[in-house]
Coordinates of all heavy atoms in Angstrom, one line a residue:
G1 N -0.9 5.7 -14.5 CA -1.3 7.0 -15.0 C -0.2 8.0 -15.3 O -0.4 9.2 -15.7
E2 N 1.1 7.6 -15.2 CA 2.2 8.5 -15.4 C 2.5 8.8 -16.9 O 3.2 9.7 -17.2 CB 3.5 8.0 -14.7 CG 3.3 7.8 -13.2 CD 2.8 9.1 -12.5 OE1 3.1 10.2 -13.0 OE2 2.1 9.0 -11.5
D3 N 2.0 7.9 -17.8 CA 2.2 8.2 -19.3 C 1.6 9.5 -19.7 O 2.1 10.1 -20.7 CB 1.7 7.0 -20.1 CG 0.2 6.7 -19.7 OD1 -0.3 7.1 -18.7 OD2 -0.4 6.0 -20.6
R4 N 0.6 10.0 -19.0 CA 0.0 11.3 -19.4 C 0.9 12.4 -19.1 O 0.8 13.5 -19.7 CB -1.3 11.5 -18.6 CG -2.4 10.5 -18.9 CD -3.7 10.8 -18.3 NE -3.8 10.6 -16.9 CZ -3.9 11.5 -16.0 NH1 -4.1 12.8 -16.4 NH2 -3.9 11.3 -14.7
F5 N 1.9 12.2 -18.2 CA 2.9 13.3 -17.9 C 4.2 13.1 -18.6 O 4.8 14.0 -19.0 CB 3.1 13.3 -16.4 CG 2.0 13.8 -15.5 CD1 1.0 13.0 -15.2 CD2 1.9 15.2 -15.3 CE1 -0.1 13.5 -14.4 CE2 0.8 15.7 -14.5 CZ -0.2 14.8 -14.1
Y6 N 4.6 11.8 -18.8 CA 5.9 11.6 -19.3 C 5.9 11.1 -20.7 O 6.9 11.2 -21.4 CB 6.6 10.5 -18.4 CG 6.9 10.9 -17.0 CD1 6.1 10.8 -16.0 CD2 8.2 11.5 -16.8 CE1 6.4 11.2 -14.7 CE2 8.5 12.0 -15.5 CZ 7.6 11.8 -14.5 OH 7.9 12.3 -13.2
G7 N 4.8 10.5 -21.2 CA 4.7 9.9 -22.5 C 5.5 8.6 -22.5 O 5.0 7.5 -22.8
D8 N 6.8 8.6 -22.2 CA 7.6 7.5 -22.1 C 7.8 7.0 -20.6 O 8.3 7.8 -19.8 CB 9.0 7.8 -22.7 CG 10.0 6.7 -22.6 OD1 9.6 5.6 -22.3 OD2 11.2 6.9 -22.9
L9 N 7.4 5.8 -20.3 CA 7.5 5.3 -19.0 C 9.0 5.1 -18.5 O 9.3 5.2 -17.3 CB 6.7 4.0 -18.8 CG 5.2 4.2 -18.8 CD1 4.5 2.8 -18.7 CD2 4.8 5.1 -17.6
G10 N 9.9 5.0 -19.5 CA 11.3 4.9 -19.2 C 11.8 6.2 -18.6 O 12.6 6.2 -17.6
L11 N 11.3 7.3 -19.0 CA 11.6 8.6 -18.5 C 11.0 8.8 -17.1 O 11.7 9.3 -16.2 CB 11.0 9.8 -19.4 CG 11.3 11.2 -18.9 CD1 12.8 11.5 -18.8 CD2 10.6 12.2 -19.9
Y12 N 9.8 8.2 -16.9 CA 9.2 8.3 -15.5 C 10.1 7.5 -14.5 O 10.4 8.0 -13.5 CB 7.8 7.7 -15.6 CG 7.3 7.2 -14.2 CD1 7.2 8.1 -13.2 CD2 6.8 5.9 -14.0 CE1 6.7 7.8 -11.9 CE2 6.3 5.5 -12.8 CZ 6.3 6.5 -11.7 OH 5.8 6.1 -10.5
L13 N 10.6 6.3 -14.9 CA 11.4 5.5 -14.0 C 12.8 6.2 -13.8 O 13.3 6.2 -12.7 CB 11.7 4.1 -14.6 CG 10.4 3.2 -14.7 CD1 10.8 1.9 -15.2 CD2 9.8 3.1 -13.3
K14 N 13.3 6.9 -14.8 CA 14.5 7.7 -14.6 C 14.3 8.7 -13.6 O 15.2 8.9 -12.7 CB 14.9 8.3 -15.9 CG 16.2 9.1 -15.9 CD 16.5 9.6 -17.3 CE 17.8 10.4 -17.4 NZ 17.6 11.8 -16.7
C15 N 13.2 9.5 -13.7 CA 13.0 10.5 -12.7 C 12.7 10.0 -11.3 O 13.2 10.6 -10.3 CB 11.7 11.4 -13.1 SG 12.0 12.3 -14.6
L16 N 12.0 8.9 -11.2 CA 11.7 8.2 -10.0 C 13.1 7.8 -9.3 O 13.3 8.1 -8.1 CB 10.9 7.0 -10.2 CG 10.4 6.2 -8.9 CD1 9.3 6.9 -8.3 CD2 10.0 4.8 -9.3
L17 N 14.0 7.2 -10.0 CA 15.2 6.7 -9.4 C 16.1 7.9 -9.1 O 16.9 7.8 -8.1 CB 15.9 5.8 -10.4 CG 15.2 4.5 -10.7 CD1 15.8 3.7 -11.9 CD2 15.2 3.6 -9.4
E18 N 16.2 8.9 -9.8 CA 17.0 10.1 -9.5 C 16.5 10.8 -8.3 O 17.3 11.3 -7.5 CB 17.1 11.0 -10.7 CG 17.9 10.4 -11.9 CD 18.4 11.5 -12.8 OE1 18.2 12.6 -12.6 OE2 19.0 11.0 -13.8
E19 N 15.1 10.8 -8.1 CA 14.6 11.4 -6.9 C 15.0 10.6 -5.7 O 15.4 11.2 -4.6 CB 13.0 11.5 -7.0 CG 12.4 12.2 -5.8 CD 10.9 12.2 -5.8 OE1 10.3 12.1 -6.9 OE2 10.3 12.4 -4.7
Y20 N 14.9 9.3 -5.8 CA 15.4 8.4 -4.7 C 16.9 8.7 -4.4 O 17.3 8.8 -3.2 CB 15.2 7.0 -5.1 CG 15.7 6.0 -4.1 CD1 15.0 5.6 -3.0 CD2 17.0 5.4 -4.4 CE1 15.6 4.7 -2.1 CE2 17.5 4.5 -3.4 CZ 16.8 4.1 -2.3 OH 17.4 3.3 -1.4
A21 N 17.7 8.7 -5.4 CA 19.1 8.9 -5.2 C 19.5 10.2 -4.6 O 20.5 10.4 -3.9 CB 19.9 8.8 -6.6
G22 N 18.6 11.2 -4.7 CA 18.9 12.6 -4.2 C 18.4 12.7 -2.7 O 18.7 13.7 -2.1
L23 N 17.7 11.7 -2.2 CA 17.3 11.8 -0.8 C 18.5 11.6 0.2 O 19.4 10.9 -0.1 CB 16.2 10.7 -0.5 CG 14.9 10.9 -1.3 CD1 14.0 9.6 -1.1 CD2 14.2 12.1 -0.8
P24 N 18.3 12.0 1.5 CA 19.3 11.7 2.5 C 19.4 10.2 2.7 O 18.4 9.5 2.5 CB 18.8 12.4 3.7 CG 17.8 13.5 3.2 CD 17.2 12.9 2.0
Y25 N 20.6 9.7 3.1 CA 20.8 8.3 3.2 C 19.7 7.6 4.1 O 19.2 6.6 3.7 CB 22.2 8.0 3.9 CG 22.4 6.6 4.2 CD1 22.8 5.7 3.3 CD2 22.0 6.1 5.5 CE1 23.0 4.3 3.6 CE2 22.1 4.8 5.8 CZ 22.6 3.9 4.8 OH 22.7 2.5 5.1
I26 N 19.4 8.2 5.2 CA 18.5 7.6 6.2 C 17.1 7.4 5.5 O 16.4 6.4 5.8 CB 18.4 8.4 7.5 CG1 17.7 7.6 8.6 CG2 17.6 9.7 7.3 CD1 17.9 8.2 9.9
E27 N 16.7 8.3 4.6 CA 15.4 8.2 3.9 C 15.5 7.0 2.9 O 14.5 6.3 2.7 CB 14.9 9.5 3.3 CG 14.6 10.5 4.3 CD 13.5 10.1 5.3 OE1 12.6 9.5 4.9 OE2 13.7 10.4 6.5
R28 N 16.6 7.0 2.2 CA 16.8 5.9 1.2 C 16.7 4.5 1.9 O 16.2 3.6 1.4 CB 18.1 6.1 0.4 CG 18.0 7.2 -0.6 CD 19.3 7.3 -1.4 NE 20.2 8.2 -0.6 CZ 21.5 7.9 -0.5 NH1 22.1 6.8 -0.9 NH2 22.3 8.7 0.2
E29 N 17.4 4.4 3.0 CA 17.4 3.2 3.8 C 16.0 2.8 4.2 O 15.6 1.6 4.1 CB 18.3 3.3 5.1 CG 18.2 2.1 6.0 CD 19.1 2.3 7.2 OE1 20.3 2.4 7.1 OE2 18.4 2.4 8.3
K30 N 15.2 3.7 4.7 CA 13.8 3.4 5.1 C 12.9 3.0 3.9 O 12.1 2.2 4.1 CB 13.2 4.7 5.8 CG 11.9 4.4 6.6 CD 11.5 5.5 7.5 CE 10.3 5.2 8.3 NZ 9.9 6.3 9.2
I31 N 13.1 3.6 2.8 CA 12.4 3.2 1.6 C 12.8 1.8 1.2 O 11.9 0.9 0.9 CB 12.6 4.2 0.5 CG1 11.9 5.5 0.8 CG2 12.0 3.6 -0.9 CD1 12.4 6.7 -0.1
Y32 N 14.1 1.5 1.1 CA 14.6 0.3 0.6 C 14.2 -0.9 1.5 O 13.8 -2.0 1.0 CB 16.1 0.3 0.4 CG 16.7 -0.9 -0.3 CD1 16.5 -0.9 -1.7 CD2 17.2 -2.0 0.3 CE1 17.0 -2.0 -2.5 CE2 17.7 -3.1 -0.4 CZ 17.6 -3.0 -1.8 OH 18.0 -4.1 -2.5
F33 N 14.1 -0.7 2.8 CA 13.8 -1.7 3.7 C 12.3 -1.5 4.3 O 12.0 -1.8 5.4 CB 14.7 -1.8 4.9 CG 16.1 -2.2 4.5 CD1 17.1 -1.3 4.3 CD2 16.4 -3.5 4.3 CE1 18.4 -1.6 3.9 CE2 17.7 -3.9 3.9 CZ 18.7 -3.0 3.8
K34 N 11.5 -1.0 3.4 CA 10.1 -0.7 3.7 C 9.3 -1.9 4.4 O 8.6 -1.7 5.3 CB 9.3 -0.2 2.5 CG 7.9 0.3 2.8 CD 7.3 0.8 1.5 CE 5.8 1.3 1.8 NZ 4.9 0.2 2.2
D35 N 9.6 -3.1 3.8 CA 8.9 -4.2 4.3 C 9.2 -4.5 5.8 O 8.4 -4.8 6.6 CB 9.3 -5.5 3.4 CG 8.6 -6.7 3.9 OD1 7.3 -6.7 4.0 OD2 9.2 -7.8 4.1
F36 N 10.5 -4.3 6.1 CA 10.9 -4.5 7.5 C 10.3 -3.5 8.4 O 9.8 -3.7 9.5 CB 12.5 -4.4 7.6 CG 13.2 -5.6 7.0 CD1 14.6 -5.6 6.9 CD2 12.5 -6.8 6.6 CE1 15.3 -6.7 6.3 CE2 13.2 -7.9 6.0 CZ 14.5 -7.8 5.9
Y37 N 10.4 -2.2 7.9 CA 9.8 -1.1 8.7 C 8.3 -1.3 9.0 O 7.8 -1.1 10.1 CB 10.1 0.2 8.1 CG 11.4 0.8 8.2 CD1 12.5 0.5 7.3 CD2 11.8 1.5 9.4 CE1 13.7 1.0 7.5 CE2 13.0 2.0 9.6 CZ 14.0 1.8 8.6 OH 15.3 2.2 8.8
D38 N 7.6 -1.7 7.9 CA 6.1 -1.9 8.1 C 5.8 -3.0 9.1 O 4.9 -2.9 10.0 CB 5.5 -2.3 6.8 CG 5.5 -1.1 5.8 OD1 5.7 0.0 6.2 OD2 5.2 -1.4 4.6
K39 N 6.6 -4.1 9.1 CA 6.4 -5.2 10.1 C 6.7 -4.8 11.5 O 6.0 -5.1 12.4 CB 7.2 -6.4 9.6 CG 6.7 -7.1 8.4 CD 7.6 -8.3 8.0 CE 7.1 -9.0 6.7 NZ 8.0 -10.1 6.3
I40 N 7.9 -4.1 11.6 CA 8.3 -3.6 12.9 C 7.3 -2.6 13.5 O 6.9 -2.7 14.7 CB 9.7 -3.0 12.8 CG1 10.7 -4.0 12.5 CG2 10.0 -2.2 14.2 CD1 12.1 -3.5 12.2
E41 N 6.8 -1.7 12.7 CA 5.8 -0.7 13.2 C 4.5 -1.4 13.6 O 3.8 -1.0 14.5 CB 5.6 0.4 12.1 CG 6.8 1.3 12.0 CD 6.7 2.3 10.9 OE1 5.9 2.1 10.0 OE2 7.5 3.3 10.8
M42 N 4.1 -2.4 12.8 CA 2.9 -3.1 13.2 C 3.1 -3.8 14.5 O 2.2 -3.8 15.3 CB 2.5 -4.1 12.1 CG 1.2 -4.9 12.3 SD 0.8 -6.0 11.0 CE 1.9 -7.3 11.3
A43 N 4.2 -4.5 14.7 CA 4.5 -5.2 15.9 C 4.5 -4.2 17.1 O 4.0 -4.6 18.2 CB 5.8 -6.0 15.8

């Protein structure tokens, strides 16, 4: 549903990636390794 805000989905991905790049390192790590974190938290 992001085309209603961005029109161009390429612009949406650009904004998404720049938001990720602006996060503190520890948050970027947690997002990138989300699969590991989810399994560990479940265990």
